Amino acid sequence: AMVGAALAVGSHNIMNGIGLRTLLPKYVQLHRERRLAAVCVQEHIPHAGSKIASALGPSFAVAMHDSAPRLAIVYDRSRLSLRRLTAILLPRIEKVPFWQRLYTAGTPEKKHALVANFSPPLTVVNFHLDTAGDNEHRTAQIRAFSSALPLARTPLVVCGDTNAFTIQQSKADEALRSLLRPLNMRHNLRDARSAENTPTHFFARANEPMIGQRIAVAFGLLGIDFPRRYDVVCSNVPVLESGQVETPESDHDLVWASLQMPRFEHR
């Protein structure tokens, strides 16, 4: 097969779109440099996806599913045509531990993985795992959608926010690797940024109204934070390059990877 085109995919938790106006130029800049084909958005709020699409250009559209309004995939229609969109329900935590209610809702929202099948053959999965619960629970959520996806015979990209929190920095690496293992085992996906290991989530930037986040911001002002790498782009095709865009408007940085797509012969 001849060498195919490079395809850049980004992932960003936009922190409920609080700083969306200032984020838009950053997406545009990244698109100018890397020619984005798709961006997976978490903590989506109404109209955020369409604002991002409009900023990126007239060929961009938003893929959204009624049952997963907090996720969106913004994609370039001049390069990808959407064939099918489904949402996979993820296991829910029974009860949010008391201390976690400081920074997350008492009843956890229903979480889904959003699956977009494009042509030329490419599947993009966007996910946002629970903040509540532990990494074992989050691994079960990954396992759920990983098992629900048919075995990957064509390019598969899985992006999102793992919320892989560990108190100890030294355990963070292994925790994230272990969390992503179901995707690696079943679909042979590789984490595009595993070699970089730069944190993508900063509590000190979580300028949201929950008391726990206020405490985190206060700690941040004292120089105490637990920056960890939560946000990933995983794929079963070779990674040409990958990167991260600093976005203080959210508590998450944007991550992206440029992927080597096989060239499909039109028959």
Side-chain angles (χ1 to χ4, degrees):
M2 294 183 300
V3 173
L7 196 119
V9 179
S11 181
H12 200 203
N13 179 327
I14 62 171
M15 196 168 81
N16 295 309
I18 289 173
L20 190 62
R21 227 183 29 247
T22 10
L23 283 174
L24 294 176
K26 297 195 175 179
Y27 300 146
V28 172
Q29 178 66 30
L30 181 62
H31 182 44
R32 206 173 285 138
E33 292 166 10
R34 302 288 162 191
R35 199 171 168 224
L36 288 166
V39 181
C40 290
V41 177
Q42 303 92 36
E43 292 201 8
H44 180 269
I45 53 162
H47 316 300
S50 42
K51 282 178 185 161
I52 296 169
S54 312
L56 290 176
S59 64
F60 280 82
V62 191
M64 283 196 67
H65 196 285
D66 287 345
S67 58
R70 305 281 282 143
L71 299 171
I73 299 172
V74 178
Y75 67 98
D76 186 349
R77 277 177 306 196
S78 71
R79 302 180 68 193
L80 298 169
S81 115
L82 184 63
R83 294 278 175 240
R84 188 163 175 254
L85 188 70
T86 49
I88 300 168
L89 184 64
L90 305 184
R92 279 178 93 165
I93 187 165
E94 298 302 310
K95 189 162 147 288
V96 178
F98 170 71
W99 60 276
Q100 287 189 330
R101 283 181 217 167
L102 287 173
Y103 59 84
T104 187
T107 48
E109 52 184 316
K110 271 193 185 144
K111 284 282 187 2
H112 292 81
L114 184 63
V115 183
N117 300 104
F118 294 105
S119 140
L122 167 71
T123 301
V124 176
V125 181
N126 181 10
F127 71 85
H128 183 190
L129 305 183
D130 276 333
T131 308
D134 55 13
N135 285 333
E136 216 168 301
H137 167 64
R138 286 182 276 275
T139 307
Q141 290 189 312
I142 288 227
R143 199 176 296 115
F145 76 76
S146 178
S147 312
L149 290 170
L151 280 177
R153 303 207 187 324
T154 50
L156 170 64
V157 185
V158 174
C159 306
D161 173 4
T162 63
N163 264 311
F165 179 68
T166 57
I167 292 274
Q168 288 171 277
Q169 175 73 60
S170 58
K171 297 201 169 145
D173 242 25
E174 179 44 44
L176 182 59
R177 235 193 337 269
S178 151
L179 212 140
L180 297 172
R181 201 162 284 134
L183 290 168
N184 176 255
M185 304 289 285
R186 181 167 161 83
H187 302 284
N188 199 23
L189 294 197
R190 300 257 181 275
D191 169 5
R193 305 275 300 148
S194 58
E196 312 310 318
N197 210 17
T198 31
T200 64
H201 174 261
F202 306 84
F203 280 112
R205 294 190 335 209
N207 197 9
E208 291 176 283
M210 296 288 273
I211 178 74
Q213 277 151 335
R214 288 282 167 83
I215 292 168
V217 171
F219 269 130
L221 296 174
L222 300 172
I224 303 162
D225 198 352
F226 296 93
R228 296 288 180 267
R229 193 160 73 90
Y230 280 8
D231 304 86
V232 296
V233 177
C234 302
S235 179
N236 62 349
V237 296
V239 175
L240 299 167
E241 46 188 332
S242 70
Q244 191 166 324
V245 178
E246 200 180 323
T247 52
E249 301 81 2
S250 166
D251 50 349
H252 293 257
D253 278 352
L254 180 150
V255 293
W256 61 269
S258 182
L259 307 165
Q260 175 77 64
M261 301 301 282
R263 192 181 287 291
F264 292 98
E265 308 290 329
H266 286 289
R267 297 199 191 283

